[in-house]
Amino acid sequence: MKWRFKKYIKLVPKWVLPTFMIMMGLFIIIANDYFGEDQDAFIVFSLFYFILLFFLIIRWLIKQIKAVLELKNEKAKTELLHLKSQVNPHFFFNMLNNLYGWVDKDSKKAQELILKLSDMMRYSIYEGQKDVVTLEEEVDYLKNYIELHKMRYHKEIAVRFDINISEGSYEVMPLLFIILLENAFKHGVENLRENAYVNVDMTAKKDKIHFTVENNFDADTLNEQQGIGLKNLKRRLELVYGKNHSLAFSTKGDVYKAQLTIKRL
């Protein structure tokens, strides 16, 4: 409660208190001249005046604070929509380039790729703009992504996706897990000629969802600098989940692991 009070006090313009003090001073001077020696009338009128003034100032401050908070909320929503619009653009470009090559080689496979890509794009455009989606919808989206990559590469990829969702409805921010899965393929599978693998685990129990992605990679191509995708994800998590999430990364030898835990919305 104290923290909230301090937070709201910071929103109050600095000129409010001096203005209030000046108004009080002017009132005392004018009222004292008007009432003269009639102190009882002066006290009653002063009390009424200060109560009214205090009420008007509080009412004005509440409106100002509400307007500032609404503005901040709108800015956060606008930023969130902008961040969502940046998810996966290069993946779709890469897939379209792959499709171009498959049209002449294997038209049937190209058709399968187009259908799956169409489902993913539909989800990104329509469901991705929502505040929340069901966890099952996110899982289907991830499965489509994995299937597309299996069809795309001309090499064997070992992909394991273990799902353990307890009974009950879970809702999450859309397009939340795809960045971590995308990184596993982009920085792991794409740079390995053989023995590439990606292990994905999702567990949803009680009020928490745990998501882990593990992949091997070529140590010679390791880049310590985080890409736009991960920075994007971190910002989205801050805006929506705040302190109700944890995101950790670890590297051991040629194995990279990303772990995300969020509380149910």
Side-chain angles (χ1 to χ4, degrees), residues 134-150:
T134 65
L135 186 57
E136 287 76 11
E137 288 175 311
E138 276 289 284
V139 168
D140 289 340
Y141 183 72
L142 297 176
K143 286 180 177 178
N144 269 339
Y145 182 88
I146 291 171
E147 288 303 314
L148 273 173
H149 272 293
K150 283 183 176 180

mmCIF file of all heavy atoms in Angstrom, residues 134-150:
data_model
loop_
_atom_site.group_PDB
_atom_site.id
_atom_site.type_symbol
_atom_site.label_atom_id
_atom_site.label_comp_id
_atom_site.label_asym_id
_atom_site.label_seq_id
_atom_site.Cartn_x
_atom_site.Cartn_y
_atom_site.Cartn_z
ATOM 1 N N THR A 134 -5.716 -20.040 -25.686
ATOM 2 C CA THR A 134 -5.590 -21.237 -24.853
ATOM 3 C C THR A 134 -4.213 -21.855 -25.056
ATOM 4 O O THR A 134 -3.598 -21.709 -26.125
ATOM 5 C CB THR A 134 -6.663 -22.280 -25.208
ATOM 6 O OG1 THR A 134 -6.450 -22.744 -26.548
ATOM 7 C CG2 THR A 134 -8.050 -21.680 -25.075
ATOM 8 N N LEU A 135 -3.752 -22.549 -24.051
ATOM 9 C CA LEU A 135 -2.441 -23.198 -24.131
ATOM 10 C C LEU A 135 -2.445 -24.261 -25.225
ATOM 11 O O LEU A 135 -1.429 -24.476 -25.902
ATOM 12 C CB LEU A 135 -2.087 -23.831 -22.779
ATOM 13 C CG LEU A 135 -0.682 -24.427 -22.644
ATOM 14 C CD1 LEU A 135 0.381 -23.383 -22.933
ATOM 15 C CD2 LEU A 135 -0.485 -25.004 -21.243
ATOM 16 N N GLU A 136 -3.574 -24.917 -25.422
ATOM 17 C CA GLU A 136 -3.689 -25.939 -26.469
ATOM 18 C C GLU A 136 -3.456 -25.337 -27.855
ATOM 19 O O GLU A 136 -2.821 -25.962 -28.713
ATOM 20 C CB GLU A 136 -5.068 -26.610 -26.416
ATOM 21 C CG GLU A 136 -5.280 -27.556 -25.251
ATOM 22 C CD GLU A 136 -5.524 -26.834 -23.933
ATOM 23 O OE1 GLU A 136 -5.743 -25.584 -23.964
ATOM 24 O OE2 GLU A 136 -5.484 -27.483 -22.882
ATOM 25 N N GLU A 137 -3.953 -24.116 -28.070
ATOM 26 C CA GLU A 137 -3.747 -23.447 -29.363
ATOM 27 C C GLU A 137 -2.270 -23.142 -29.584
ATOM 28 O O GLU A 137 -1.745 -23.290 -30.707
ATOM 29 C CB GLU A 137 -4.559 -22.154 -29.414
ATOM 30 C CG GLU A 137 -6.064 -22.370 -29.555
ATOM 31 C CD GLU A 137 -6.846 -21.078 -29.492
ATOM 32 O OE1 GLU A 137 -6.617 -20.278 -28.565
ATOM 33 O OE2 GLU A 137 -7.703 -20.854 -30.380
ATOM 34 N N GLU A 138 -1.587 -22.716 -28.521
ATOM 35 C CA GLU A 138 -0.149 -22.448 -28.626
ATOM 36 C C GLU A 138 0.621 -23.727 -28.929
ATOM 37 O O GLU A 138 1.564 -23.731 -29.729
ATOM 38 C CB GLU A 138 0.367 -21.836 -27.315
ATOM 39 C CG GLU A 138 0.172 -20.344 -27.200
ATOM 40 C CD GLU A 138 1.094 -19.555 -28.118
ATOM 41 O OE1 GLU A 138 2.296 -19.423 -27.834
ATOM 42 O OE2 GLU A 138 0.587 -19.068 -29.151
ATOM 43 N N VAL A 139 0.215 -24.838 -28.303
ATOM 44 C CA VAL A 139 0.884 -26.124 -28.528
ATOM 45 C C VAL A 139 0.721 -26.558 -29.982
ATOM 46 O O VAL A 139 1.679 -27.014 -30.620
ATOM 47 C CB VAL A 139 0.320 -27.209 -27.582
ATOM 48 C CG1 VAL A 139 0.787 -28.597 -28.011
ATOM 49 C CG2 VAL A 139 0.758 -26.930 -26.147
ATOM 50 N N ASP A 140 -0.489 -26.410 -30.541
ATOM 51 C CA ASP A 140 -0.728 -26.768 -31.947
ATOM 52 C C ASP A 140 0.140 -25.916 -32.877
ATOM 53 O O ASP A 140 0.656 -26.409 -33.895
ATOM 54 C CB ASP A 140 -2.202 -26.568 -32.302
ATOM 55 C CG ASP A 140 -3.092 -27.611 -31.654
ATOM 56 O OD1 ASP A 140 -2.574 -28.681 -31.257
ATOM 57 O OD2 ASP A 140 -4.311 -27.354 -31.526
ATOM 58 N N TYR A 141 0.298 -24.662 -32.526
ATOM 59 C CA TYR A 141 1.137 -23.765 -33.320
ATOM 60 C C TYR A 141 2.595 -24.232 -33.314
ATOM 61 O O TYR A 141 3.269 -24.256 -34.350
ATOM 62 C CB TYR A 141 1.027 -22.352 -32.754
ATOM 63 C CG TYR A 141 1.785 -21.294 -33.530
ATOM 64 C CD1 TYR A 141 1.358 -20.868 -34.771
ATOM 65 C CD2 TYR A 141 2.938 -20.703 -32.992
ATOM 66 C CE1 TYR A 141 2.034 -19.887 -35.476
ATOM 67 C CE2 TYR A 141 3.626 -19.719 -33.688
ATOM 68 C CZ TYR A 141 3.165 -19.319 -34.930
ATOM 69 O OH TYR A 141 3.845 -18.354 -35.620
ATOM 70 N N LEU A 142 3.078 -24.631 -32.147
ATOM 71 C CA LEU A 142 4.447 -25.127 -32.033
ATOM 72 C C LEU A 142 4.629 -26.427 -32.807
ATOM 73 O O LEU A 142 5.664 -26.642 -33.439
ATOM 74 C CB LEU A 142 4.805 -25.348 -30.552
ATOM 75 C CG LEU A 142 4.806 -24.103 -29.655
ATOM 76 C CD1 LEU A 142 5.094 -24.496 -28.207
ATOM 77 C CD2 LEU A 142 5.817 -23.077 -30.130
ATOM 78 N N LYS A 143 3.632 -27.299 -32.756
ATOM 79 C CA LYS A 143 3.702 -28.568 -33.495
ATOM 80 C C LYS A 143 3.778 -28.316 -34.993
ATOM 81 O O LYS A 143 4.544 -28.974 -35.710
ATOM 82 C CB LYS A 143 2.482 -29.432 -33.170
ATOM 83 C CG LYS A 143 2.510 -30.060 -31.781
ATOM 84 C CD LYS A 143 1.264 -30.895 -31.543
ATOM 85 C CE LYS A 143 1.308 -31.580 -30.187
ATOM 86 N NZ LYS A 143 0.069 -32.362 -29.915
ATOM 87 N N ASN A 144 2.983 -27.376 -35.484
ATOM 88 C CA ASN A 144 3.033 -27.028 -36.905
ATOM 89 C C ASN A 144 4.405 -26.506 -37.295
ATOM 90 O O ASN A 144 4.935 -26.824 -38.367
ATOM 91 C CB ASN A 144 1.973 -25.972 -37.234
ATOM 92 C CG ASN A 144 0.654 -26.585 -37.668
ATOM 93 O OD1 ASN A 144 0.611 -27.734 -38.104
ATOM 94 N ND2 ASN A 144 -0.413 -25.843 -37.537
ATOM 95 N N TYR A 145 4.974 -25.703 -36.414
ATOM 96 C CA TYR A 145 6.311 -25.147 -36.662
ATOM 97 C C TYR A 145 7.345 -26.271 -36.781
ATOM 98 O O TYR A 145 8.184 -26.266 -37.690
ATOM 99 C CB TYR A 145 6.684 -24.202 -35.522
ATOM 100 C CG TYR A 145 8.023 -23.528 -35.685
ATOM 101 C CD1 TYR A 145 8.148 -22.333 -36.379
ATOM 102 C CD2 TYR A 145 9.183 -24.093 -35.136
ATOM 103 C CE1 TYR A 145 9.378 -21.712 -36.534
ATOM 104 C CE2 TYR A 145 10.413 -23.474 -35.286
ATOM 105 C CZ TYR A 145 10.503 -22.286 -35.984
ATOM 106 O OH TYR A 145 11.726 -21.685 -36.137
ATOM 107 N N ILE A 146 7.269 -27.213 -35.871
ATOM 108 C CA ILE A 146 8.209 -28.345 -35.887
ATOM 109 C C ILE A 146 8.039 -29.175 -37.154
ATOM 110 O O ILE A 146 9.024 -29.564 -37.802
ATOM 111 C CB ILE A 146 8.010 -29.224 -34.635
ATOM 112 C CG1 ILE A 146 8.478 -28.462 -33.384
ATOM 113 C CG2 ILE A 146 8.782 -30.536 -34.765
ATOM 114 C CD1 ILE A 146 8.127 -29.145 -32.077
ATOM 115 N N GLU A 147 6.785 -29.468 -37.531
ATOM 116 C CA GLU A 147 6.529 -30.262 -38.728
ATOM 117 C C GLU A 147 7.042 -29.562 -39.987
ATOM 118 O O GLU A 147 7.593 -30.208 -40.885
ATOM 119 C CB GLU A 147 5.029 -30.541 -38.858
ATOM 120 C CG GLU A 147 4.485 -31.531 -37.852
ATOM 121 C CD GLU A 147 5.202 -32.865 -37.918
ATOM 122 O OE1 GLU A 147 5.399 -33.383 -39.048
ATOM 123 O OE2 GLU A 147 5.588 -33.390 -36.856
ATOM 124 N N LEU A 148 6.878 -28.262 -40.040
ATOM 125 C CA LEU A 148 7.383 -27.516 -41.191
ATOM 126 C C LEU A 148 8.894 -27.628 -41.316
ATOM 127 O O LEU A 148 9.435 -27.789 -42.412
ATOM 128 C CB LEU A 148 6.975 -26.041 -41.084
ATOM 129 C CG LEU A 148 5.608 -25.668 -41.649
ATOM 130 C CD1 LEU A 148 5.270 -24.227 -41.315
ATOM 131 C CD2 LEU A 148 5.576 -25.858 -43.159
ATOM 132 N N HIS A 149 9.571 -27.542 -40.183
ATOM 133 C CA HIS A 149 11.036 -27.658 -40.217
ATOM 134 C C HIS A 149 11.485 -29.066 -40.592
ATOM 135 O O HIS A 149 12.495 -29.229 -41.291
ATOM 136 C CB HIS A 149 11.625 -27.248 -38.868
ATOM 137 C CG HIS A 149 11.905 -25.789 -38.758
ATOM 138 N ND1 HIS A 149 12.872 -25.165 -39.507
ATOM 139 C CD2 HIS A 149 11.344 -24.813 -38.003
ATOM 140 C CE1 HIS A 149 12.902 -23.877 -39.231
ATOM 141 N NE2 HIS A 149 11.976 -23.634 -38.315
ATOM 142 N N LYS A 150 10.779 -30.062 -40.135
ATOM 143 C CA LYS A 150 11.134 -31.436 -40.510
ATOM 144 C C LYS A 150 11.015 -31.634 -42.016
ATOM 145 O O LYS A 150 11.821 -32.340 -42.630
ATOM 146 C CB LYS A 150 10.219 -32.426 -39.787
ATOM 147 C CG LYS A 150 10.563 -32.652 -38.327
ATOM 148 C CD LYS A 150 9.637 -33.711 -37.737
ATOM 149 C CE LYS A 150 10.021 -34.035 -36.307
ATOM 150 N NZ LYS A 150 9.122 -35.065 -35.718
#
